[in-house]
Amino acid sequence: MGKYDILTKYIPIIQEDSIGEWVVDKENDGTPEHPMQLPFVSYSEMVHKFINDVYTFEENNKDMELTRYGDILKDNGLERGAKSMKNADVSNLNAQCVLALIMGVVRAERFCDGALLDFFKSGCILKWLERLNSME
């Protein structure tokens, strides 16, 4: 079993999974009697398991210092913004930096609904996992 299997096992699953979708309240009109619920992303079970496995990997691999994902990205010439992360050429990045990209997106979801959905749907998560898989 490889070091990154807890994450790379998702490669074939991602391609078949619905990932998630935005849920928008279209039934209520925003009046006090019918307040609207803010839009949110309803993620698939696979995405919830993926997030848990990212945190499990981090917990079991403290030597990779993934809680410092922002510094790791910066040290590799990347910014924590979506554009920089999406455009990152991972072909030459080491495992720590690829994992920092993944951790950065998982953490971003906590502050920006839909961030993770965007990175899954654009193919970035799959590309990053494939890069990790190539290092095993």
Side-chain angles (χ1 to χ4, degrees), residues 112-125:
C112 180
D113 284 347
L116 192 54
L117 179 69
D118 185 38
F119 278 84
F120 266 111
K121 295 279 187 175
S122 68
C124 290
I125 301 287

Side-chain angles (χ1 to χ4, degrees), residues 6 14 24 27-28 30 42 49 62 64 68 72-73 77 79 81 86 89 98 107 110 113 116 127-128 131-132:
I6 190 172
I14 288 171
V24 179
E27 295 177 16
N28 296 299
S42 175
K49 288 179 179 178
K62 292 292 188 187
M64 298 197 86
R68 294 183 48 255
I72 295 166
L73 295 176
E79 296 174 20
K86 280 184 178 178
D89 177 9
V98 173
R107 296 295 301 153
R110 295 179 61 88
D113 284 347
L116 192 54
K127 177 174 67 173
W128 299 341
R131 172 66 178 139
L132 280 180

Side-chain angles (χ1 to χ4, degrees), residues 64-121:
M64 298 197 86
E65 301 183 288
L66 296 178
T67 56
R68 294 183 48 255
Y69 62 90
D71 293 333
I72 295 166
L73 295 176
K74 186 177 179 183
D75 291 347
N76 285 273
L78 300 170
E79 296 174 20
R80 283 177 29 181
K83 185 175 182 180
S84 175
M85 292 171 72
K86 280 184 178 178
N87 293 329
D89 177 9
V90 295
S91 63
N92 294 316
L93 295 180
N94 65 19
Q96 183 190 38
C97 189
V98 173
L99 289 160
L101 285 165
I102 294 169
M103 180 63 79
V105 172
V106 168
R107 296 295 301 153
E109 180 65 28
R110 295 179 61 88
F111 305 103
C112 180
D113 284 347
L116 192 54
L117 179 69
D118 185 38
F119 278 84
F120 266 111
K121 295 279 187 175

